[in-house]
């Protein structure tokens, strides 16, 4: 039995080593999350009760895949096959934690990395203007090597269009650039080998000082590919219409930098945002009677919010906070009249260069509206990102996050147990991405390494990324200074 599986069972039995399981702030016992999302998750990732016959009543123990296979071959469910939930139950037991095996390495901090929706492509963005798009199905061959234009400090975010034809990338600038991913050029150097069109997110009324101060921290395509939503340093959310090539909406959303924003579901009506003012907000574009009026506010973080990921159902989302926690939210608990309140402590913590005060880790917001809190990782130095695990292979049973200690952490959504942690980077893991179909996670770190974690893992031995980098340099594909 693998070490992480032993620790999962130990967490469920209450015998895990100290500090291994997530801090269970808001419940007691093994039923960490008593809410309908727990029921939904169990329905999406649990085996049919007839396949689990003989182990009913032992809810703490996962049903053996062997027992499920026997039940399937005996057609005890009458379907003659596994349901999607049965498959998720089997697949979710085999976490992609074997590694790391290097995908690539540059002499530049990796800031963003994401699989495409179908998992065929992988995008990685680095501080020194570099973006690489890898063809996953062709042995991680670099399909397109992009040298970004007009970069300020770093690439803050990238987003692939739903049809995988275009990539947008943002920086600490009001202009977001768009690149044709399907063009013939393998080396896309801005306005030399290819045109990188600029999409100006500033609106009428900006003076020169305001314009220079505007930077984009997060940018995402809508499901239909017709709009972009962006979070900015001027405390606002922007919606950009790609057909008219102009911003269609600016929302003065928060009292500090908006670090993250995303669409809540496929409709594009609802937006979730998170800010350094430590608030999560929900925005409904259908009822903007009062411009800038949020549909609701969710309080619970003690520090600024670095990232938000939606479950995709328009109801639940998770957020990473500089208070060193990930929180789970249900927008039905939001309040439309929640006043802005100061954080319940008086220290001048700055996450960019300070460690989080030890005494502050025990503090809890007096009006916390979150469903659950997950602890164990560190959110320091940079805007660390967190996500729900894939619906196809896990039923979104887990949440996972990077960490400033150079690790990846995976938590059970319902029990709160830290079911795995992957250690292999020398510097903060800012972003991470779980393959939508297969047991594979990619981590990107400030050490410049893009690393692959799998189950069970390939036969190759872990090796440093320098060899792959040298191969690319020989092929003339590296843009390093």
């Amino acid at each position: 039995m693998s070490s992480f599986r032993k620790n999962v069972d130990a967490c469920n039995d209450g015998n895990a080593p100290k500090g291994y399981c997530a801090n269970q702030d808001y419940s007691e016992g093994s039923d960490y999350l008593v809410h309908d999302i727990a029921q939904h998750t169990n329905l999406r990732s649990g085996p049919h009760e007839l396949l689990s016959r003989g182990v009913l009543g032992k809810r703490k123990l996962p049903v053996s895949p062997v027992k499920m296979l026997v039940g399937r071959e005996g057609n005890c469910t009458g379907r003659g096959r596994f349901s999607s939930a049965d498959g998720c139950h089997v697949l979710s037991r085999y976490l992609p934690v074997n590694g790391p095996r290097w995908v690539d390495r540059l002499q530049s901090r990796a800031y963003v990395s994401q699989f495409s929706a179908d998992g065929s492509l992988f995008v990685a963005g680095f501080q020194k203007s570099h973006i690489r798009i890898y063809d996953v199905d062709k042995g991680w061959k670099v399909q397109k090597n992009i040298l970004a234009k007009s970069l300020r400090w770093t690439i803050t975010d990238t987003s692939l269009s739903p049809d995988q034809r275009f990539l947008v990338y943002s920086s600490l600038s009001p202009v977001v650039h768009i690149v044709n991913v399907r063009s013939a050029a393998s080396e896309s150097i801005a306005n030399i080998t290819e045109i990188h069109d600029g999409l100006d997110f500033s609106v009428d009324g900006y003076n020169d000082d305001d314009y220079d101060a505007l930077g984009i921290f997060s940018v995402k395509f809508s499901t239909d590919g017709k709009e972009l939503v962006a979070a900015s340093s001027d405390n606002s959310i922007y919606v950009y219409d790609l057909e008219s090539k102009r911003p269609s909406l600016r929302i003065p959303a928060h009292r500090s930098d908006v670090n993250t924003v995303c669409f809540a579901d496929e409709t594009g009506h609802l937006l979730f945002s998170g800010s350094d003012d430590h608030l999560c907000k929900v925005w409904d574009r259908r009822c903007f009677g009062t411009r800038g009026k949020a549909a609701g506010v969710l309080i619970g973080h003690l520090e600024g919010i670095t990232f938000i990921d939606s479950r995709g159902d328009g109801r639940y989302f998770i957020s990473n906070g500089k208070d060193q926690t990930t929180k789970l939210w249900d927008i039905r608990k939001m309040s439309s009249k929640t006043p802005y309140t100061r954080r319940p402590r008086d220290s001048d913590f700055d996450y960019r260069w300070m460690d989080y005060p030890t005494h502050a880790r025990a503090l809890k917001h007096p009006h916390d509206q979150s469903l659950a809190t997950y602890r164990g990782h560190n959110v320091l130095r940079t805007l660390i990102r967190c996500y729900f695990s894939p619906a196809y292979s896990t039923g979104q049973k887990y949440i996972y996050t990077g960490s400033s200690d150079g690790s990846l952490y995976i938590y059970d959504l319902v029990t709160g147990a830290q079911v795995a942690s992957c250690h292999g980077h020398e510097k903060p893991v800012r972003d991470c991405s779980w393959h939508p179909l297969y047991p594979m996670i990619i981590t990107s770190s400030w050490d410049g390494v893009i690393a692959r974690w799998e189950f069970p893992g390939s036969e190759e031995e872990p090796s440093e990324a320098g060899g792959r980098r040298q191969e690319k340099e020989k092929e003339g594909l590296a843009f390093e200074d």
Side-chain angles (χ1 to χ4, degrees):
M1 180 183 292
S2 65
S3 60
F4 75 84
R5 177 51 56 189
K6 290 179 181 177
N7 282 321
V8 173
D9 294 339
C11 280
N12 290 335
D13 294 335
N15 300 318
K18 183 178 179 181
Y20 188 83
C21 295
N23 187 318
Q24 300 185 7
D25 287 329
Y26 307 113
S27 64
E28 296 179 357
S30 60
D31 291 331
Y32 174 63
L33 185 56
V34 183
H35 192 272
D36 62 0
I37 190 176
Q39 179 66 12
H40 293 162
T41 302
N42 289 332
L43 287 174
R44 295 175 64 177
S45 62
H48 192 285
E49 63 178 15
L50 294 178
L51 290 176
S52 60
R53 181 172 293 170
V55 293
L56 294 179
K58 298 181 180 180
R59 295 176 57 210
K60 294 181 179 179
L61 298 177
V63 180
S64 165
V66 174
K67 188 178 293 293
M68 292 180 64
L69 287 168
V70 171
R72 186 190 68 178
E73 295 305 310
N75 197 24
C76 65
T77 66
R79 293 190 305 249
R81 59 181 177 80
F82 280 163
S83 67
S84 60
D86 295 332
C88 284
H89 178 77
V90 174
L91 289 173
S92 65
R93 294 189 63 188
Y94 304 103
L95 297 179
V97 296
N98 293 332
R101 292 176 173 84
W102 310 126
V103 172
D104 207 348
R105 183 176 188 177
L106 275 71
Q107 298 302 313
S108 177
R109 292 175 175 177
Y111 268 76
V112 293
S113 58
Q114 284 295 297
F115 281 107
S116 61
D118 64 1
S120 63
L121 300 177
F122 182 81
V123 180
F126 299 83
Q127 184 175 17
K128 291 184 179 179
S129 305
H130 305 296
I131 302 171
R132 283 180 173 172
I133 302 178
Y134 303 87
D135 189 325
V136 178
D137 298 331
K138 293 183 179 179
W140 294 89
K141 180 182 178 181
V142 177
Q143 175 174 306
K144 203 171 193 69
N145 218 335
I146 300 169
L147 184 61
K149 175 189 177 184
S150 304
L151 196 68
R152 288 186 181 177
W153 177 244
T154 185
I155 292 168
T156 54
D157 204 3
T158 63
S159 182
L160 266 176
S161 62
D163 59 7
Q164 299 181 24
R165 291 183 60 195
F166 299 99
L167 175 84
V168 293
Y169 61 85
S170 62
S171 180
L172 298 180
S173 162
V175 178
V176 170
H177 290 90
I178 187 166
V179 184
N180 186 347
V181 173
R182 292 187 179 177
S183 64
S186 60
E187 296 185 25
S188 180
I189 304 175
N191 295 345
I192 296 178
T193 62
E194 285 189 320
I195 299 298
H196 292 194
D197 287 331
L199 312 176
D200 193 342
F201 274 67
S202 63
V203 296
D204 294 339
Y206 266 86
N207 58 43
D208 291 339
D209 292 337
D210 291 333
Y211 186 87
D212 290 338
L214 176 60
I216 303 298
F217 290 113
S218 173
V219 62
K220 297 289 181 291
F221 269 100
S222 60
T223 304
D224 59 11
K226 295 181 179 180
E227 293 181 314
L228 296 171
V229 63
S232 75
S233 61
D234 68 346
N235 310 346
S236 302
I237 298 170
Y238 289 84
V239 178
Y240 191 95
D241 188 315
L242 289 167
E243 292 183 350
S244 63
K245 294 186 177 181
R246 61 182 298 273
S248 60
L249 181 64
R250 175 180 179 252
I251 307 171
H254 289 268
R255 299 194 180 199
S256 189
D257 291 350
V258 184
N259 294 322
T260 177
V261 66
C262 66
F263 289 100
D265 55 22
E266 294 184 352
T267 67
H269 298 314
L270 289 179
L271 303 174
F272 298 147
S273 66
S275 166
D276 275 338
D277 64 11
H278 73 260
L279 300 177
C280 295
K281 291 188 177 183
V282 181
W283 308 89
D284 191 338
R285 300 167 62 192
R286 295 166 296 186
C287 50
F288 251 41
T290 303
R291 193 170 182 84
K293 177 71 173 178
V297 181
L298 290 157
I299 288 179
H301 280 294
L302 301 177
E303 297 288 348
I305 294 155
T306 65
F307 196 73
I308 282 176
D309 184 45
S310 173
R311 192 166 180 260
D313 54 11
R315 179 177 295 176
Y316 300 103
F317 66 93
I318 56 173
S319 60
N320 250 1
K322 298 174 186 178
D323 57 3
Q324 315 306 300
T325 67
T326 300
K327 286 183 175 290
L328 172 67
W329 308 89
D330 181 347
I331 68 171
R332 293 174 297 179
K333 297 188 69 174
M334 68 186 182
S335 170
S336 60
K337 298 181 180 180
T338 303
Y340 180 83
T341 55
R342 295 186 63 83
R343 296 184 291 269
R345 62 179 192 80
D346 56 1
S347 66
D348 295 322
F349 166 68
D350 189 327
Y351 89 121
R352 293 172 297 179
W353 57 276
M354 297 174 64
D355 290 331
Y356 195 62
T358 303
H359 73 276
R361 293 180 180 272
L363 296 179
K364 175 181 173 182
H365 200 291
H367 306 295
D368 194 347
Q369 297 168 306
S370 64
L371 299 181
T373 302
Y374 309 85
R375 301 179 187 269
H377 59 292
N378 297 318
V379 185
L380 299 168
R381 313 295 178 253
T382 184
L383 302 177
I384 303 290
R385 298 184 166 192
C386 61
Y387 302 93
F388 287 95
S389 63
Y392 175 83
S393 58
T394 71
Q396 295 181 304
K397 180 178 180 178
Y398 304 112
I399 62 174
Y400 63 105
T401 176
S403 178
S404 57
D405 64 3
S407 304
L408 169 81
Y409 290 84
I410 305 174
Y411 302 100
D412 188 293
L413 176 72
V414 176
T415 69
Q418 181 186 304
V419 298
S421 57
C422 304
H423 312 280
H425 291 280
E426 299 175 355
K427 294 183 179 180
V429 173
R430 187 181 189 270
D431 206 356
C432 45
S433 187
W434 197 317
H435 194 285
L437 304 178
Y438 306 127
M440 176 194 300
I441 294 178
I442 305 297
T443 52
S444 57
S445 169
W446 273 15
D447 60 13
V449 172
I450 305 297
R452 187 172 84 246
W453 308 81
E454 298 174 288
F455 185 93
S458 63
E459 297 299 323
E460 65 186 79
E461 292 296 324
S463 60
E464 298 216 359
R468 184 163 177 80
R469 171 174 155 73
Q470 291 173 1
E471 291 176 4
K472 290 188 171 19
E473 288 176 338
K474 291 177 181 179
E475 296 171 4
L477 296 177
F479 286 115
E480 302 300 342
D481 297 332

